[in-house]
Amino acid sequence: MSAHHEQSFLSKYVFSTDHKYIAKQYTLTGVVFAFIGGLFAVAFRMQLAWPGIDVPIVGVLDGTKYNMLVTNHAMIMFFWAAMPILLAGLGNFVIPLMLGADDMAFPLLNMLSYWIFLVSALVLILSFMAPGGGAATGWTMYPPLAATQGVDPDSNFLVNLWTGGSLLILAVALEFASMLLGGINFLVTSINMRAKGMKLMDVPAVVWMLNLATVDFMFSVGPLIAGAVMLLFDRIFNTGFYDPARGGDPILFQHLFWFFGHPEVYVVLLPAIGIVSEIVPAFTRKPLFASKWIIIMAVSSAFIAMIVWAHHQFVAGIDPRMAEFFSITTIIISIPFAFIMFAVIATFFGGQIEIKIPMLWAIGFIVFFFVGGVTGIFLGSAGFDMYAHDTYFVVAHFHYTLIPIVFFAGLAGFYFWFPKSTGRMLNETLGKLHFWTTAIGLNMFAFPLFFSGLFGEHRRIFSYASYDPLMADWILQIRHVATYGAIIIAAAQLIFFLNIILSAMNGEKAGKNPWKCNTLEWVADSPPPHGNFTTPPACYRGPYEYSNPKRSGSDFWPQNEQ
Amino acid sequence: MADEKDYHGKQNYVMLLGTIAILVIAMVGISMSGMTGSPKVLAISALGAVQFYIVLANLMHLKYEPALINLVTYLSVVFIVLLILGVAPDTLLIPLQITE
Amino acid sequence: MSDVTLERVPKGRLGVWFLIAGELVIFGGFIAAYILARLEYPEFGSKEAAGALNPIVGTINTMILLISNWTMVVAHEAALEKNVAKMKSFMLYTLVLGLVFLGIKLGYEWPADFHEGHTISSAKAIAGAEPGGEVMKVSLFWSYYFLMTGFHGLHIVVGSLVILGVYISCSGGENLHRVELAGAYWHLVELVWVILFPMFYLIK
C-alpha cells in the first residue's frame, strides 16, 4: 500500500483513516467521557454521604435527578469510556502495529466507525437536554419504567423520540453499530494482514483477546439491538412488546438485555487481561507462562460467557430450574479466568522483576481484580445472590472488577504504549503518585461497601432517611468513607493529565524500544509514521522469547530478528 | 487473491433456485392443507430450514469457505437457539411442580 | 468444506461474512422474541392475526425475491467473466425486482392491513379492550409483523443502495470484486425472508 502523499489538515487530523489517529480519537473521547461519568458518580455519592447537600452545578438532588446521574454514570462508563478506551482505542492502535501491517484492513470503514461513535456521544449529550432531562431508568432500562418514563401516549412519535429515555436508546444503538463495524476491521486485519511467518500462536495475547472480545460482542449484541428497538417502539409508537396488559412481557427485555449485558463485561475484561499479559513478561524478562493455554482458556471463557446471563435475574422471578443452570455455568466460568490469572502470576516466579510504571498498574490490576473475581463467585450462587442482590455488595463487586479493568489495566496499557504513540516517556514519579492515589481511592470507596451491602444497604436509593437501621452511625461512616474514596479516584486522574501535559512539553524522548520488548510494534519509529514500517517486518518466532538461552548477549529476542 | 472460480466450485444456479422454489410451493401447500398442530409446524419449519441452508451454503458459497467462517456463521444460529431455550421457561411459564 | 486456508480468503469477503454473522444475530433476536411470543399465544394464528395475511401475495413476493437472487448470481458470474454489460443489466434487474417486492409490500399488503385496522400499535382497535385479552394479543401479533417485515424492508432498501453504489463504481469495468459483496448482502436479505415468510404467513 502507501502512496504517502501530502495530507491536508482535515484529512490528517480530523478525517484521518490512519488507525493510529483513529485510536487517539477514540481514546481521547473515552477519557473525556470517563471524566464526565466519574463526576456524575461524585455528585450522587455526595448526596449519599450528605443528604440534601447542594451539589455544585447540579444542585440539590431529588429522586429523579439522582436516578438520572446513576443511570448515565453507568451507561457512560460502559459505552463511552470502557469500550472506546479498551476496545476501540487500544485495538486500533496495537493491532496493525503488532501484526506488522501498515493499517487496518478497511481504513475508510474504520474512520466511519469513529464518526458514528462520536455521533452516538452527541446523541447521549442531547438526551440530557431533552424535556424532562436524561433517562432515569437505571442503565438496565427495564420496562415498564423505561417504556413509559417521559412518554405521552397521545403525542406523536417525534415528541416521544425527543425524550431522555428514547435518545439514550438511540445513542446506545449508534454506539453498537460503530463497535460492530470497528470489530469487523479487527477480525479481518488479524486474520488477513499478519506479517510473513506469523502463525496464529505467534500473535501476541492482547491481539487474541481483542479479537475474542470482538467475537463475543458481535454474537451477543444482536438480541439487545432487537430488544432495544422494541423498547424504543414501545415508547414512540405505543406498541406493547413489554406491556403485560397488551400481551407483552417485561422479563423478555431483561433476558435480551442481559444476553448482551453479561458478555459485555468479558468484552472489556479480555483486553484488560491482554494488556497485563503483554506487560508482565516484558517486566519480568520471562516468557508468558503457559501462553498457549491462556489463549485456549480465553477462547473457552468467551464461549461460556454466552450462557451465564441470567445470573443477573436470579430474583426477577425466573424459573428456579434455570437459576440452577445459570448458577452452575457462572461458577464454571471462574475456572478459565482463574487459570489465566494464575498463569500470569506464575510468570513472576524466577523473573527479573522491574517495577516500572506499567508493571505497577498491572500488579494493581491482578491484586484488585482478584477481590472482584472472587466476590463474583459468591454472587454467582443463586442462594447467596437472593440475599445480596440489589445491595451495595454487588456494587462493590463490580467496581472491584471494572475499576481494575478500566483504570488499572487501561492505564497500564496507556503508560506502556504512550512512548510508542508519542515518542515521549511519561514521568515515573508522577505515575507512581497517580497509581497509589487511585489504589487508595478504589479501596476506600469499594471495600467498605461490601459490609454495608451485606447489612442491607440497597442500591439506587437516593436517601435512606426512612430506613432507621440504615441510618446507624457506622453505616453513615461507611457512606462518608466511600464518598471520599470516590472523590480521591476522580482527583487522582488530575495527576495523570498533568503527567501527559508535562510529557508533551518536555518529556524524555523515547527510543524505538524503551521497554526492550519483542513484539513488532517496537520495531517501528516512535511515533510510527503513516504506513508504520519502512519495510514490512517478517516474523520468526513467538512474542514471549525473553531470556532465551539460545539468544546470546540479550535477554530478549524480537519477533522480526532472525 | 484466490481464483474465485476454482475456489467456489461449479454450481448449477438454475437448479438450486428451482429447488428452493419447489420447496416454497411445498411449504405453502402444507400450510394450506388440512394438517394441524405440531406436525404441520415442524414440517413447515423443516422446509424453511432446508431453504435457509441452501441459500447459505450454496448461493452464498459458505460450504466452500474455510471451517472457521462456517463455524462463525452457524454459531450465530446456535446462539439464537440457546437464547430461545434460556428464555422459554420464563415466557411460556412451564409449570413447576410445587410439593405441599 | 474446502481446504482454502483462512488467510487466503480475500479481505472483502472475510469482512462481509462477519457482517452477515452479526446481522443474523440481530434478526435472530427479533425472531427469537417472536417465536417465544408465538409459542405463548396461539391467538397469533387466528383469523384476525396471521389468518388475515394473504399467503398467495406472500408467495408471489417470495418468488420475486428469489428470482432477484438469481439475477444477482448471474450478475456475479458475468463479473467473473468480465462481461460488464451483462453484469450491469442483471444488477438492474435485481434492483427492479427488489423495488417490486417493496412496492407490493408497501403499496398493497400494508395498506390492506391498515384498512382492516391493523397497525403497529393498533391503538384504535385496542381502545377499551380487555387487558391481556384476545384483542390485545392480536394487536401484539401485528406489532411484531410490522416491526420485523419493516426491518426486513429496510434491509432491502439498504441492499438496493449497496447494489446501486457498486453498480456505479463498477460501470467502468473496475472493482468487479465488489459485485460479489453486494450479492452477499442481497442474499442475506433472502436468508431472512426465508425465515420470516413461513413464520408469519404459513404457521397459523
Side-chain angles (χ1 to χ4, degrees), chain A residues 192-247:
Chain A
N192 200 287
M193 291 174 73
R194 279 178 262 141
K196 189 151 172 282
M198 187 181 273
K199 301 186 286 294
L200 277 180
M201 278 304 168
D202 296 334
V203 172
V206 71
V207 176
W208 269 100
M209 302 293 179
L210 283 160
N211 283 293
L212 286 171
T214 301
V215 170
D216 250 2
F217 181 81
M218 218 172 65
F219 277 141
S220 60
V221 85
L224 178 55
I225 293 180
V229 168
M230 284 154 63
L231 183 66
L232 186 62
F233 277 30
D234 269 12
R235 289 180 67 89
I236 64 180
F237 292 128
N238 201 19
T239 52
F241 292 114
Y242 303 118
D243 179 359
R246 280 183 282 173

Side-chain angles (χ1 to χ4, degrees), chain A residues 115-161:
Chain A
W115 285 97
I116 297 177
F117 175 77
L118 191 63
V119 169
S120 80
L122 293 172
V123 175
L124 172 75
I125 302 286
L126 267 180
S127 80
F128 303 149
M129 304 198 254
T137 57
W139 85 286
T140 48
M141 299 189 298
Y142 283 178
L145 181 62
T148 53
Q149 190 186 72
V151 165
D152 177 8
D154 297 316
S155 297
N156 72 50
F157 81 97
L158 282 170
V159 171
N160 286 322
L161 186 58

Side-chain angles (χ1 to χ4, degrees), chain C residues 11-32:
Chain C
K11 286 194 312 202
R13 196 180 303 156
L14 201 50
V16 163
W17 276 114
F18 286 121
L19 179 67
I20 287 173
E23 287 265 29
L24 282 177
V25 198
I26 298 176
F27 272 105
F30 284 120
I31 291 172

